[in-house]
Amino acid sequence: MGHIIRVAGFRIPAWLRHQLTSWNTGGEGIHSPYLFHLVRHIISDDNRYYCWADIEERREAMLRAPKLINVRDYGSRGQGKDEERLVCDIAKTSLESAKNGQLFFRIVNWLSHEKGAPLRIMELGTNLGITTAYLAMPDSRNKVLTFEGSGALVELAELNWRKLGIKNIEAVQGNIDDTLNTYARVETDVVYMDANHRKEPTVRYFEALLPCMGEKSVVIIDDIHHSREMEEAWELLKNYSDVTTTMDFFDFGILFFDKHYLKKHYKLRI
């Protein structure tokens, strides 16, 4: 409970600051035509896709699940300790929102179309596999590699993927500190980081993946205003020389690497 109060005590003023310094734009003021299109036609798109209802059914099933599981948490709270938790409580407190999951679906769908070839996607922090499903379902040819420390969570995530008929996800179980470098060897199109919400691991994971980033790759960092540490991590990452444009949507941030873009940092509302 103390952790939740501390997080809320930080996030509320952080959200107010973001509201005062960001703008709700349809792309106006964004110089790159490519990024203008992303904001105007992809991020701001309100169309619904065929599979979203099925994914949300799996979320609801997890929210109703009273099962008690033993979760090994290598993230900011547990740091390798085991804890008994109800699945429904995990779903209530840890899952990415449907709004953001569906936004990530649209981004992946657009990038697949733009590339004209299957994407390689990495997710750090599988949890119950709901966001993973949003990353995987735009195109069954895409390859999604997702990392999770808890075996119990991997089992539930894989159950959800089977129920959804998803076959293009591979889960890597274990401490990401030990597993990531084994897989961070080839060019990756999309990275979604939602694992350890602390500054040092966030920066370290980013640096491990940086050699895998191509010109059109994107890195999505979740919870960039979760804590002072995460805000500091975001400020560090967006000022790396390899990073050009960044977009801060409060709940998450997106890093771009195309050298044709201006070094520009946008704060946006959706």
Side-chain angles (χ1 to χ4, degrees), residues 187-216:
E187 185 169 314
T188 301
D189 300 287
V190 180
V191 173
Y192 173 61
M193 293 175 56
D194 184 22
N196 195 322
H197 292 85
R198 290 183 295 139
K199 177 180 176 180
E200 188 276 331
T202 299
V203 174
R204 177 159 41 85
Y205 297 158
F206 176 80
E207 289 182 344
L209 292 167
L210 192 53
C212 303
M213 298 296 100
E215 188 176 80
K216 293 298 183 182

Side-chain angles (χ1 to χ4, degrees), residues 229-245:
E229 271 199 76
M230 285 303 293
E231 285 194 342
E232 290 174 356
W234 173 247
E235 289 300 315
L236 273 175
L237 298 186
K238 74 182 193 181
N239 287 301
Y240 269 61
S241 60
D242 294 284
V243 174
T244 52
T245 297

Side-chain angles (χ1 to χ4, degrees), residues 105 112 150 157 173 216:
F105 176 101
S112 296
S150 171
Q173 191 223 317
K216 293 298 183 182

Side-chain angles (χ1 to χ4, degrees), residues 33-241:
Y34 185 87
L35 296 178
F36 174 88
H37 180 86
L38 172 65
V39 173
R40 169 65 66 87
H41 298 291
I42 308 302
I43 289 174
S44 300
D45 180 17
D46 58 3
N47 290 319
R48 299 190 63 81
Y49 288 77
Y50 65 96
C51 60
W52 290 359
D54 294 335
I55 297 175
E56 288 307 306
E57 280 184 11
R58 296 314 308 160
R59 183 196 302 272
E60 290 302 316
M62 297 294 98
L63 286 167
R64 294 191 303 268
K67 182 180 179 180
L68 192 66
I69 62 172
N70 192 50
V71 177
R72 176 159 293 183
D73 184 1
Y74 291 100
S76 53
R77 293 176 61 188
Q79 299 183 27
K81 296 180 181 179
D82 292 334
E83 179 185 8
E84 284 195 334
R85 297 185 65 190
L86 292 169
V87 173
C88 55
D89 288 343
I90 296 170
K92 287 174 187 174
T93 59
S94 302
L95 289 181
E96 183 62 87
S97 69
K99 176 183 177 181
N100 290 343
Q102 289 160 12
L103 188 152
F104 301 155
F105 176 101
R106 294 196 299 271
I107 291 174
V108 169
N109 190 47
W110 178 60
L111 290 172
S112 296
H113 176 76
E114 288 291 307
K115 185 175 182 179
L119 301 181
R120 180 177 172 86
I121 301 166
M122 287 181 121
E123 177 190 44
L124 309 189
T126 312
N127 201 272
L128 294 169
I130 302 301
T131 303
T132 327
Y134 277 115
L135 295 171
M137 291 194 81
D139 190 330
S140 61
R141 298 171 301 168
N142 293 341
K143 174 68 174 178
V144 180
L145 192 65
T146 182
F147 295 79
E148 173 57 52
S150 171
L153 288 178
V154 169
E155 288 181 8
L156 285 168
E158 289 178 336
L159 169 66
N160 286 326
W161 303 332
R162 287 195 299 273
K163 294 279 188 181
L164 291 166
I166 301 173
K167 298 179 180 179
N168 59 328
I169 301 172
E170 178 185 349
V172 178
Q173 191 223 317
N175 188 346
I176 297 174
D177 291 352
D178 302 325
T179 59
L180 182 60
N181 286 331
T182 302
Y183 292 87
R185 297 172 185 261
V186 298
E187 185 169 314
T188 301
D189 300 287
V190 180
V191 173
Y192 173 61
M193 293 175 56
D194 184 22
N196 195 322
H197 292 85
R198 290 183 295 139
K199 177 180 176 180
E200 188 276 331
T202 299
V203 174
R204 177 159 41 85
Y205 297 158
F206 176 80
E207 289 182 344
L209 292 167
L210 192 53
C212 303
M213 298 296 100
E215 188 176 80
K216 293 298 183 182
S217 299
V218 299
V219 174
I220 303 170
I221 311 287
D222 194 55
D223 281 335
I224 58 174
H225 297 284
H226 172 80
S227 64
R228 192 171 306 282
E229 271 199 76
M230 285 303 293
E231 285 194 342
E232 290 174 356
W234 173 247
E235 289 300 315
L236 273 175
L237 298 186
K238 74 182 193 181
N239 287 301
Y240 269 61
S241 60

